[in-house]
Amino acid sequence: MTALDLSSPVAVVGTGTMGQGIAQVALTAGHPVRLYDAVPGRAREAAEGIVARLDRLVAKERLTAADRDAARDRLLPADDLTGLADCALVVEAVLERLDVKQELFGALEDVVSDDCLLATNTSSLSVTAVGGALRVPGRLVGLHFFNPAPLLPLVEVVSGFATDVACATRAYETARAWGRTPVACADTPGFVVNRIARPFYAEAFTVYECQGADPATIDAVLRESGGFRMGAFELTDLIGQDVNESVTRSVWQAFFQDVRFTPSLAQRRLVESGRLGRKSGRGWYDYADGAERPEPHTAEPAEPPAYVVAEGGPGPASDLLALIREAGIQVRVEDEDHGTRLVLPSGGRLALADGRTSVEHRDVVYFDLSPDYRGATRIALSHSRDTSARTVAEATGLFQALGKKVSVIGDVPGMIVARTVARIIDLAYDAVAKGVATEEDIDTAMRLGVNYPLGPFEWSRRLGRGWAGSLLEDLHERDRSGRYAPSLALYRHACATGKREDTP
């Protein structure tokens, strides 16, 4: 099954930001495009808006004037649904309500031919439910674009329970022909991105709720140590707190209130107070004119230690020993056991976050995970009240000598980046085991859909087979709600090449 021929008209119903974006993608790919909106006059306004954006592309020399003119001639607003009768594909981008979408597709079936492909851009509703009332449900597929559609390449191609394989394949190939990067996925709550991304927000909010760190510090650590494009607090302010919380709540409810997807009470209070982010002028941060952005906690300069003693191999923090030597600090290697532990001159230890708390040990400072310790510009440290001031100062000075800013947070098990990445990896393995998508498609979706520095399986390969499961088991020991219990899929992965007894 191949992509739709470029001569085939494509319709977009719903002309908000997303609808206009999808229409622009189809239009610049070369299709005739019909626009329809239930509000009179809005389709024509949308067409004018699309042409204005094409004009800007011409001004930036990203589109020729001839191509702009040809695209403008292919764009046609429709006054009613009958104007879509000859379309080979209709994509809806209307209100996120099941009854509204079902009613629309029911009306479309009375207009378009039986071989017209129907697509929903829903991000939170069941594709199966949307198509459940159709006379020919097999031709309905999910085409979930990401905003802004002309700039973000990812498209989740979602097969509902009744979707015909041929229809899903045609939708996939059409998205690819439009210059998008499609990933195929099953119709489960959140699809790929909105399912696997939940811990990125949830763990940041959890660290905040337990007073481990303030939003500005958590965001800075996620960006400057974790390599994420934005922190969870600034990103949800950009998305809209009501929108982000609604998606989280929808996924949680669709999974029968699975504790792994539990919404944040702090975010709920933010929504209830009307602090919705940038669009309302205030969310986690204040966006009023003249408002100062809070600075992340950054430790004062401290003297670096003269030496460190490496107990065991560096594991996931493999760059650290080389960086320490390059900074002129002596490294004494004691043994070659696994783990990441550095003994400081104080006698205290510096260890990679592992899901336990500092208070459980004598004189330990934990440091957070980074995909690139050489490139990271900030490192988070955590310690308990019992950790000696000298050990904290030496740990701080060590990372400062490596050119890093240091943020000291509360004694939070798993810290910030480590617990977030471990949970993302776990949800990714669980999704593959349940047939949601392939490992390759999940990595692609998370890199392109939400700009993660690495896909979950890329993270897993770098960190080692048992890293995520071990950290989550430690967290589960300290939080018995079930939120951190490793999935069976992750457990099987960790055991796949491990040493096991032949008999029970």
Side-chain angles (χ1 to χ4, degrees):
M1 181 66 68
T2 58
L4 293 175
D5 188 272
L6 289 181
S7 63
S8 302
V10 171
V12 177
V13 179
T15 58
T17 301
M18 181 59 78
Q20 291 185 42
I22 296 170
Q24 182 178 329
V25 170
L27 188 66
T28 55
H31 287 273
V33 173
R34 312 278 191 267
L35 285 175
Y36 174 75
D37 197 289
V39 178
R42 186 150 310 165
R44 295 188 183 279
E45 292 175 5
E48 292 170 359
I50 293 170
V51 172
R53 283 193 290 277
L54 296 181
D55 288 340
R56 290 195 289 272
L57 291 177
V58 172
K60 295 176 181 178
E61 298 184 345
R62 296 178 184 174
L63 187 71
T64 68
D67 286 341
R68 183 266 321 276
D69 293 344
R72 181 180 57 202
D73 292 342
R74 294 194 303 272
L75 182 60
L76 180 65
D79 294 327
D80 52 51
L81 289 180
T82 59
L84 315 182
D86 64 339
C87 290
L89 167 64
V90 180
V91 184
E92 70 80 14
V94 300
L95 192 64
E96 278 288 271
R97 276 180 42 187
L98 181 60
D99 59 335
V100 172
K101 293 180 188 292
Q102 286 181 329
E103 182 179 354
L104 169 64
F105 282 119
L108 281 169
E109 276 199 310
D110 294 333
V111 172
V112 300
S113 63
D114 283 353
D115 61 355
C116 174
L117 187 62
L118 301 178
T120 173
N121 183 59
T122 184
S123 61
S124 60
L125 299 175
S126 163
V127 172
T128 303
V130 172
L134 292 181
R135 175 171 48 80
V136 187
R139 60 169 161 174
L140 181 80
V141 65
L143 278 180
H144 180 215
F145 289 77
F146 288 75
N147 195 28
L151 297 181
L152 295 184
L154 183 69
V155 179
E156 292 177 321
V157 182
V158 187
S159 293
F161 187 79
T163 302
D164 291 336
V165 173
C167 291
T169 302
R170 171 154 285 183
Y172 183 97
E173 294 300 334
T174 297
R176 185 158 63 177
W178 290 357
R180 305 299 92 185
T181 303
V183 296
C185 61
D187 182 23
T188 60
F191 310 141
V192 174
V193 172
N194 279 330
R195 173 179 180 150
I196 296 174
R198 294 349 290 167
F200 178 74
Y201 313 107
E203 295 311 309
F205 298 160
T206 297
V207 173
Y208 167 76
E209 288 171 339
C210 70
Q211 301 185 59
D214 60 277
T217 300
I218 296 169
D219 278 352
V221 171
L222 286 168
R223 288 193 315 269
E224 300 170 38
S225 179
F228 294 96
R229 186 72 61 86
M230 299 179 73
F233 296 89
E234 58 189 342
L235 180 55
T236 53
D237 267 358
L238 178 64
I239 295 169
Q241 296 303 330
D242 53 339
V243 174
N244 181 260
E245 203 258 356
S246 176
V247 172
T248 299
R249 188 168 295 276
S250 173
V251 172
W252 173 62
Q253 291 174 339
F255 275 116
F256 307 104
Q257 301 186 355
D258 186 328
V259 69
R260 295 176 301 168
F261 301 101
T262 301
S264 161
L265 180 59
Q267 188 180 35
R268 175 95 292 257
R269 293 291 180 259
L270 207 65
V271 173
E272 290 173 339
S273 69
R275 296 183 177 184
L276 306 182
R278 288 180 179 271
K279 63 185 178 182
S280 70
R282 188 164 185 179
W284 296 109
Y285 301 109
D286 188 349
Y287 299 94
D289 290 341
E292 292 186 10
R293 181 71 173 263
E295 292 293 326
H297 168 77
T298 302
E300 294 295 324
E303 287 294 319
Y307 67 90
V308 295
V309 179
E311 290 186 341
S318 58
D319 290 341
L320 274 184
L321 296 186
L323 290 174
I324 292 170
R325 290 189 177 99
E326 290 169 15
I329 299 172
Q330 182 184 7
V331 177
R332 304 172 185 173
V333 180
E334 287 286 315
D335 58 53
E336 299 298 331
D337 293 336
H338 295 294
T340 304
R341 298 182 306 277
L342 299 175
V343 182
L344 299 165
S346 66
R349 284 173 168 76
L350 186 62
L352 177 64
D354 61 5
R356 293 177 288 180
T357 59
S358 295
V359 76
E360 300 170 50
H361 311 284
R362 187 188 70 81
D363 214 17
V364 165
V365 172
Y366 278 114
F367 64 94
D368 209 349
L369 179 69
S370 175
D372 178 13
Y373 283 101
R374 185 173 292 277
T377 58
R378 183 180 299 271
I379 295 294
L381 304 179
S382 71
H383 63 87
S384 73
R385 295 178 181 177
D386 297 331
T387 306
S388 74
R390 180 183 172 189
T391 295
V392 175
E394 288 178 347
T396 301
L398 174 65
F399 281 104
Q400 289 173 339
L402 307 187
K404 319 298 181 188
K405 295 177 182 178
V406 173
S407 291
V408 180
I409 69 170
D411 189 12
V412 179
M415 301 191 68
I416 297 170
V417 181
R419 69 193 290 153
T420 299
V421 170
R423 288 208 58 218
I424 288 171
I425 289 172
D426 183 51
L427 290 186
Y429 274 100
D430 185 55
V432 169
K434 292 175 178 174
V436 175
T438 65
E439 290 187 8
E440 181 181 3
D441 276 356
I442 288 175
D443 274 353
T444 297
M446 302 314 290
R447 286 196 314 269
L448 298 183
V450 279
N451 290 311
Y452 283 4
L454 296 169
F457 297 98
E458 292 174 309
W459 270 112
S460 181
R461 287 189 290 272
R462 281 200 187 188
L463 296 171
R465 184 175 291 273
W467 179 84
S470 177
L471 188 145
L472 290 174
E473 285 175 357
D474 283 340
L475 279 170
H476 180 57
E477 284 292 322
R478 288 148 187 82
D479 179 346
R480 288 292 189 170
S481 66
R483 179 190 184 99
Y484 300 102
S487 66
L488 179 58
L490 185 64
Y491 178 79
R492 283 173 169 158
H493 169 73
C495 291
T497 60
K499 294 181 179 178
R500 295 163 295 180
E501 295 184 8
D502 293 331
T503 57

mmCIF file of all heavy atoms in Angstrom, residues 362-397:
data_model
loop_
_atom_site.group_PDB
_atom_site.id
_atom_site.type_symbol
_atom_site.label_atom_id
_atom_site.label_comp_id
_atom_site.label_asym_id
_atom_site.label_seq_id
_atom_site.Cartn_x
_atom_site.Cartn_y
_atom_site.Cartn_z
ATOM 1 N N ARG A 362 26.804 6.303 56.269
ATOM 2 C CA ARG A 362 27.653 7.198 57.044
ATOM 3 C C ARG A 362 28.447 8.080 56.096
ATOM 4 O O ARG A 362 29.256 7.607 55.306
ATOM 5 C CB ARG A 362 28.628 6.401 57.919
ATOM 6 C CG ARG A 362 29.440 7.275 58.886
ATOM 7 C CD ARG A 362 30.517 6.469 59.588
ATOM 8 N NE ARG A 362 31.582 6.076 58.671
ATOM 9 C CZ ARG A 362 32.596 6.875 58.301
ATOM 10 N NH1 ARG A 362 32.646 8.128 58.750
ATOM 11 N NH2 ARG A 362 33.523 6.448 57.473
ATOM 12 N N ASP A 363 28.167 9.359 56.132
ATOM 13 C CA ASP A 363 28.958 10.349 55.409
ATOM 14 C C ASP A 363 29.008 10.093 53.896
ATOM 15 O O ASP A 363 30.078 9.882 53.317
ATOM 16 C CB ASP A 363 30.379 10.390 55.981
ATOM 17 C CG ASP A 363 30.965 11.801 55.946
ATOM 18 O OD1 ASP A 363 30.179 12.755 55.787
ATOM 19 O OD2 ASP A 363 32.195 11.931 56.055
ATOM 20 N N VAL A 364 27.858 10.137 53.264
ATOM 21 C CA VAL A 364 27.764 9.930 51.820
ATOM 22 C C VAL A 364 27.095 11.137 51.158
ATOM 23 O O VAL A 364 26.098 11.648 51.660
ATOM 24 C CB VAL A 364 26.971 8.649 51.491
ATOM 25 C CG1 VAL A 364 26.560 8.629 50.013
ATOM 26 C CG2 VAL A 364 27.805 7.417 51.792
ATOM 27 N N VAL A 365 27.648 11.559 50.032
ATOM 28 C CA VAL A 365 27.035 12.556 49.165
ATOM 29 C C VAL A 365 26.722 11.872 47.835
ATOM 30 O O VAL A 365 27.587 11.212 47.249
ATOM 31 C CB VAL A 365 27.970 13.765 48.927
ATOM 32 C CG1 VAL A 365 27.378 14.696 47.866
ATOM 33 C CG2 VAL A 365 28.205 14.530 50.211
ATOM 34 N N TYR A 366 25.490 11.994 47.380
ATOM 35 C CA TYR A 366 25.116 11.440 46.079
ATOM 36 C C TYR A 366 25.241 12.522 45.006
ATOM 37 O O TYR A 366 25.030 13.705 45.274
ATOM 38 C CB TYR A 366 23.664 10.945 46.105
ATOM 39 C CG TYR A 366 23.498 9.572 46.697
ATOM 40 C CD1 TYR A 366 22.809 9.385 47.901
ATOM 41 C CD2 TYR A 366 23.998 8.449 46.041
ATOM 42 C CE1 TYR A 366 22.637 8.116 48.444
ATOM 43 C CE2 TYR A 366 23.828 7.181 46.577
ATOM 44 C CZ TYR A 366 23.152 7.018 47.773
ATOM 45 O OH TYR A 366 22.985 5.767 48.297
ATOM 46 N N PHE A 367 25.577 12.098 43.778
ATOM 47 C CA PHE A 367 25.533 13.012 42.642
ATOM 48 C C PHE A 367 24.594 12.426 41.590
ATOM 49 O O PHE A 367 24.423 11.217 41.483
ATOM 50 C CB PHE A 367 26.920 13.279 42.057
ATOM 51 C CG PHE A 367 27.611 12.086 41.449
ATOM 52 C CD1 PHE A 367 27.527 11.815 40.091
ATOM 53 C CD2 PHE A 367 28.389 11.248 42.249
ATOM 54 C CE1 PHE A 367 28.187 10.732 39.528
ATOM 55 C CE2 PHE A 367 29.052 10.151 41.697
ATOM 56 C CZ PHE A 367 28.945 9.887 40.332
ATOM 57 N N ASP A 368 23.977 13.325 40.805
ATOM 58 C CA ASP A 368 22.919 12.920 39.885
ATOM 59 C C ASP A 368 23.481 12.414 38.559
ATOM 60 O O ASP A 368 24.645 12.619 38.216
ATOM 61 C CB ASP A 368 21.961 14.088 39.638
ATOM 62 C CG ASP A 368 20.537 13.640 39.315
ATOM 63 O OD1 ASP A 368 20.326 12.443 39.077
ATOM 64 O OD2 ASP A 368 19.635 14.506 39.322
ATOM 65 N N LEU A 369 22.603 11.790 37.801
ATOM 66 C CA LEU A 369 22.951 11.208 36.512
ATOM 67 C C LEU A 369 23.052 12.287 35.431
ATOM 68 O O LEU A 369 22.356 13.294 35.476
ATOM 69 C CB LEU A 369 21.865 10.203 36.114
ATOM 70 C CG LEU A 369 22.014 9.473 34.783
ATOM 71 C CD1 LEU A 369 23.188 8.497 34.834
ATOM 72 C CD2 LEU A 369 20.720 8.735 34.447
ATOM 73 N N SER A 370 23.920 12.048 34.443
ATOM 74 C CA SER A 370 24.004 12.877 33.248
ATOM 75 C C SER A 370 24.353 11.974 32.068
ATOM 76 O O SER A 370 25.136 11.043 32.221
ATOM 77 C CB SER A 370 25.077 13.959 33.398
ATOM 78 O OG SER A 370 25.230 14.677 32.176
ATOM 79 N N PRO A 371 23.766 12.252 30.885
ATOM 80 C CA PRO A 371 24.164 11.470 29.715
ATOM 81 C C PRO A 371 25.529 11.864 29.196
ATOM 82 O O PRO A 371 26.121 11.162 28.385
ATOM 83 C CB PRO A 371 23.075 11.816 28.686
ATOM 84 C CG PRO A 371 22.649 13.193 29.057
ATOM 85 C CD PRO A 371 22.735 13.246 30.565
ATOM 86 N N ASP A 372 26.038 12.997 29.673
ATOM 87 C CA ASP A 372 27.307 13.519 29.167
ATOM 88 C C ASP A 372 27.963 14.352 30.262
ATOM 89 O O ASP A 372 27.788 15.568 30.318
ATOM 90 C CB ASP A 372 27.051 14.365 27.910
ATOM 91 C CG ASP A 372 28.322 14.977 27.346
ATOM 92 O OD1 ASP A 372 29.429 14.572 27.765
ATOM 93 O OD2 ASP A 372 28.207 15.881 26.495
ATOM 94 N N TYR A 373 28.737 13.698 31.123
ATOM 95 C CA TYR A 373 29.365 14.430 32.222
ATOM 96 C C TYR A 373 30.380 15.449 31.711
ATOM 97 O O TYR A 373 30.600 16.479 32.342
ATOM 98 C CB TYR A 373 30.028 13.458 33.196
ATOM 99 C CG TYR A 373 29.031 12.769 34.101
ATOM 100 C CD1 TYR A 373 28.611 11.473 33.847
ATOM 101 C CD2 TYR A 373 28.484 13.436 35.197
ATOM 102 C CE1 TYR A 373 27.674 10.853 34.665
ATOM 103 C CE2 TYR A 373 27.556 12.827 36.019
ATOM 104 C CZ TYR A 373 27.147 11.531 35.749
ATOM 105 O OH TYR A 373 26.220 10.912 36.553
ATOM 106 N N ARG A 374 30.983 15.182 30.578
ATOM 107 C CA ARG A 374 31.941 16.134 30.018
ATOM 108 C C ARG A 374 31.220 17.409 29.559
ATOM 109 O O ARG A 374 31.701 18.521 29.777
ATOM 110 C CB ARG A 374 32.707 15.493 28.862
ATOM 111 C CG ARG A 374 33.814 16.377 28.284
ATOM 112 C CD ARG A 374 34.643 15.608 27.263
ATOM 113 N NE ARG A 374 35.417 14.543 27.886
ATOM 114 C CZ ARG A 374 36.588 14.716 28.486
ATOM 115 N NH1 ARG A 374 37.123 15.925 28.547
ATOM 116 N NH2 ARG A 374 37.225 13.698 29.024
ATOM 117 N N GLY A 375 30.087 17.253 28.924
ATOM 118 C CA GLY A 375 29.365 18.402 28.408
ATOM 119 C C GLY A 375 28.432 19.063 29.409
ATOM 120 O O GLY A 375 28.000 20.202 29.200
ATOM 121 N N ALA A 376 28.091 18.368 30.494
ATOM 122 C CA ALA A 376 27.165 18.924 31.491
ATOM 123 C C ALA A 376 27.754 20.187 32.112
ATOM 124 O O ALA A 376 28.957 20.261 32.376
ATOM 125 C CB ALA A 376 26.881 17.891 32.568
ATOM 126 N N THR A 377 26.897 21.170 32.355
ATOM 127 C CA THR A 377 27.359 22.412 32.978
ATOM 128 C C THR A 377 26.912 22.541 34.426
ATOM 129 O O THR A 377 27.307 23.488 35.106
ATOM 130 C CB THR A 377 26.843 23.627 32.181
ATOM 131 O OG1 THR A 377 25.410 23.582 32.128
ATOM 132 C CG2 THR A 377 27.400 23.615 30.765
ATOM 133 N N ARG A 378 26.084 21.613 34.888
ATOM 134 C CA ARG A 378 25.608 21.643 36.266
ATOM 135 C C ARG A 378 25.450 20.208 36.765
ATOM 136 O O ARG A 378 25.038 19.328 36.010
ATOM 137 C CB ARG A 378 24.266 22.378 36.363
ATOM 138 C CG ARG A 378 23.726 22.521 37.795
ATOM 139 C CD ARG A 378 22.394 23.270 37.804
ATOM 140 N NE ARG A 378 22.515 24.623 37.283
ATOM 141 C CZ ARG A 378 22.805 25.691 38.012
ATOM 142 N NH1 ARG A 378 22.986 25.565 39.321
ATOM 143 N NH2 ARG A 378 22.880 26.878 37.457
ATOM 144 N N ILE A 379 25.774 20.007 38.026
ATOM 145 C CA ILE A 379 25.591 18.701 38.670
ATOM 146 C C ILE A 379 24.848 18.920 39.979
ATOM 147 O O ILE A 379 25.144 19.861 40.728
ATOM 148 C CB ILE A 379 26.945 18.012 38.946
ATOM 149 C CG1 ILE A 379 27.656 17.683 37.638
ATOM 150 C CG2 ILE A 379 26.747 16.740 39.779
ATOM 151 C CD1 ILE A 379 26.969 16.645 36.786
ATOM 152 N N ALA A 380 23.878 18.060 40.254
ATOM 153 C CA ALA A 380 23.162 18.119 41.532
ATOM 154 C C ALA A 380 23.803 17.157 42.520
ATOM 155 O O ALA A 380 24.198 16.040 42.161
ATOM 156 C CB ALA A 380 21.696 17.767 41.338
ATOM 157 N N LEU A 381 23.909 17.608 43.767
ATOM 158 C CA LEU A 381 24.376 16.782 44.871
ATOM 159 C C LEU A 381 23.278 16.705 45.920
ATOM 160 O O LEU A 381 22.479 17.634 46.060
ATOM 161 C CB LEU A 381 25.637 17.368 45.511
ATOM 162 C CG LEU A 381 26.850 17.631 44.612
ATOM 163 C CD1 LEU A 381 27.984 18.237 45.434
ATOM 164 C CD2 LEU A 381 27.305 16.347 43.933
ATOM 165 N N SER A 382 23.231 15.599 46.654
ATOM 166 C CA SER A 382 22.291 15.504 47.772
ATOM 167 C C SER A 382 22.993 14.842 48.945
ATOM 168 O O SER A 382 23.882 14.006 48.761
ATOM 169 C CB SER A 382 21.035 14.717 47.388
ATOM 170 O OG SER A 382 21.326 13.348 47.243
ATOM 171 N N HIS A 383 22.572 15.239 50.144
ATOM 172 C CA HIS A 383 23.168 14.663 51.354
ATOM 173 C C HIS A 383 22.177 14.798 52.492
ATOM 174 O O HIS A 383 21.181 15.522 52.395
ATOM 175 C CB HIS A 383 24.488 15.357 51.699
ATOM 176 C CG HIS A 383 24.337 16.819 52.029
ATOM 177 N ND1 HIS A 383 24.056 17.267 53.303
ATOM 178 C CD2 HIS A 383 24.411 17.927 51.243
ATOM 179 C CE1 HIS A 383 23.970 18.586 53.297
ATOM 180 N NE2 HIS A 383 24.175 19.010 52.058
ATOM 181 N N SER A 384 22.467 14.106 53.577
ATOM 182 C CA SER A 384 21.604 14.177 54.758
ATOM 183 C C SER A 384 22.169 15.163 55.770
ATOM 184 O O SER A 384 23.282 15.686 55.600
ATOM 185 C CB SER A 384 21.482 12.790 55.403
ATOM 186 O OG SER A 384 22.693 12.445 56.060
ATOM 187 N N ARG A 385 21.427 15.399 56.827
ATOM 188 C CA ARG A 385 21.905 16.289 57.885
ATOM 189 C C ARG A 385 23.127 15.723 58.578
ATOM 190 O O ARG A 385 23.916 16.466 59.185
ATOM 191 C CB ARG A 385 20.795 16.519 58.909
ATOM 192 C CG ARG A 385 19.583 17.257 58.358
ATOM 193 C CD ARG A 385 18.504 17.402 59.415
ATOM 194 N NE ARG A 385 17.333 18.097 58.897
ATOM 195 C CZ ARG A 385 16.223 18.302 59.590
ATOM 196 N NH1 ARG A 385 16.150 17.874 60.862
ATOM 197 N NH2 ARG A 385 15.203 18.941 59.051
ATOM 198 N N ASP A 386 23.282 14.401 58.521
ATOM 199 C CA ASP A 386 24.405 13.755 59.206
ATOM 200 C C ASP A 386 25.691 13.763 58.386
ATOM 201 O O ASP A 386 26.750 13.400 58.896
ATOM 202 C CB ASP A 386 24.046 12.302 59.548
ATOM 203 C CG ASP A 386 22.878 12.211 60.522
ATOM 204 O OD1 ASP A 386 22.717 13.152 61.317
ATOM 205 O OD2 ASP A 386 22.132 11.221 60.469
ATOM 206 N N THR A 387 25.600 14.134 57.119
ATOM 207 C CA THR A 387 26.802 14.183 56.289
ATOM 208 C C THR A 387 27.697 15.320 56.776
ATOM 209 O O THR A 387 27.228 16.430 57.039
ATOM 210 C CB THR A 387 26.440 14.413 54.815
ATOM 211 O OG1 THR A 387 25.497 13.430 54.400
ATOM 212 C CG2 THR A 387 27.671 14.310 53.927
ATOM 213 N N SER A 388 29.000 15.059 56.874
ATOM 214 C CA SER A 388 29.902 16.073 57.420
ATOM 215 C C SER A 388 30.032 17.247 56.469
ATOM 216 O O SER A 388 29.995 17.087 55.238
ATOM 217 C CB SER A 388 31.283 15.466 57.688
ATOM 218 O OG SER A 388 31.986 15.260 56.480
ATOM 219 N N ALA A 389 30.201 18.428 57.033
ATOM 220 C CA ALA A 389 30.343 19.644 56.229
ATOM 221 C C ALA A 389 31.576 19.547 55.341
ATOM 222 O O ALA A 389 31.573 20.047 54.198
ATOM 223 C CB ALA A 389 30.426 20.862 57.141
ATOM 224 N N ARG A 390 32.623 18.896 55.837
ATOM 225 C CA ARG A 390 33.847 18.771 55.050
ATOM 226 C C ARG A 390 33.602 17.913 53.803
ATOM 227 O O ARG A 390 34.055 18.263 52.702
ATOM 228 C CB ARG A 390 34.955 18.161 55.891
ATOM 229 C CG ARG A 390 36.267 18.007 55.128
ATOM 230 C CD ARG A 390 37.345 17.345 55.950
ATOM 231 N NE ARG A 390 38.515 17.047 55.125
ATOM 232 C CZ ARG A 390 39.554 16.323 55.519
ATOM 233 N NH1 ARG A 390 39.577 15.828 56.772
ATOM 234 N NH2 ARG A 390 40.579 16.093 54.710
ATOM 235 N N THR A 391 32.869 16.816 53.964
ATOM 236 C CA THR A 391 32.577 15.950 52.818
ATOM 237 C C THR A 391 31.751 16.692 51.782
ATOM 238 O O THR A 391 32.011 16.589 50.572
ATOM 239 C CB THR A 391 31.837 14.686 53.285
ATOM 240 O OG1 THR A 391 32.712 13.915 54.129
ATOM 241 C CG2 THR A 391 31.390 13.831 52.111
ATOM 242 N N VAL A 392 30.745 17.444 52.227
ATOM 243 C CA VAL A 392 29.918 18.222 51.290
ATOM 244 C C VAL A 392 30.772 19.246 50.561
ATOM 245 O O VAL A 392 30.655 19.424 49.335
ATOM 246 C CB VAL A 392 28.763 18.916 52.041
ATOM 247 C CG1 VAL A 392 27.982 19.820 51.085
ATOM 248 C CG2 VAL A 392 27.830 17.884 52.672
ATOM 249 N N ALA A 393 31.658 19.932 51.290
ATOM 250 C CA ALA A 393 32.509 20.950 50.677
ATOM 251 C C ALA A 393 33.461 20.325 49.663
ATOM 252 O O ALA A 393 33.673 20.876 48.564
ATOM 253 C CB ALA A 393 33.293 21.693 51.752
ATOM 254 N N GLU A 394 34.040 19.173 49.993
ATOM 255 C CA GLU A 394 34.965 18.524 49.063
ATOM 256 C C GLU A 394 34.238 18.026 47.809
ATOM 257 O O GLU A 394 34.764 18.140 46.696
ATOM 258 C CB GLU A 394 35.684 17.362 49.763
ATOM 259 C CG GLU A 394 36.709 17.824 50.779
ATOM 260 C CD GLU A 394 37.391 16.684 51.510
ATOM 261 O OE1 GLU A 394 36.910 15.527 51.417
ATOM 262 O OE2 GLU A 394 38.414 16.942 52.176
ATOM 263 N N ALA A 395 33.035 17.477 47.987
ATOM 264 C CA ALA A 395 32.254 17.023 46.835
ATOM 265 C C ALA A 395 31.883 18.206 45.942
ATOM 266 O O ALA A 395 31.964 18.134 44.703
ATOM 267 C CB ALA A 395 30.996 16.304 47.305
ATOM 268 N N THR A 396 31.485 19.311 46.577
ATOM 269 C CA THR A 396 31.140 20.521 45.817
ATOM 270 C C THR A 396 32.354 21.046 45.063
ATOM 271 O O THR A 396 32.283 21.346 43.867
ATOM 272 C CB THR A 396 30.596 21.597 46.769
ATOM 273 O OG1 THR A 396 29.437 21.101 47.442
ATOM 274 C CG2 THR A 396 30.251 22.871 46.015
ATOM 275 N N GLY A 397 33.471 21.167 45.747
ATOM 276 C CA GLY A 397 34.688 21.675 45.131
ATOM 277 C C GLY A 397 35.192 20.785 44.007
ATOM 278 O O GLY A 397 35.750 21.284 43.018
#
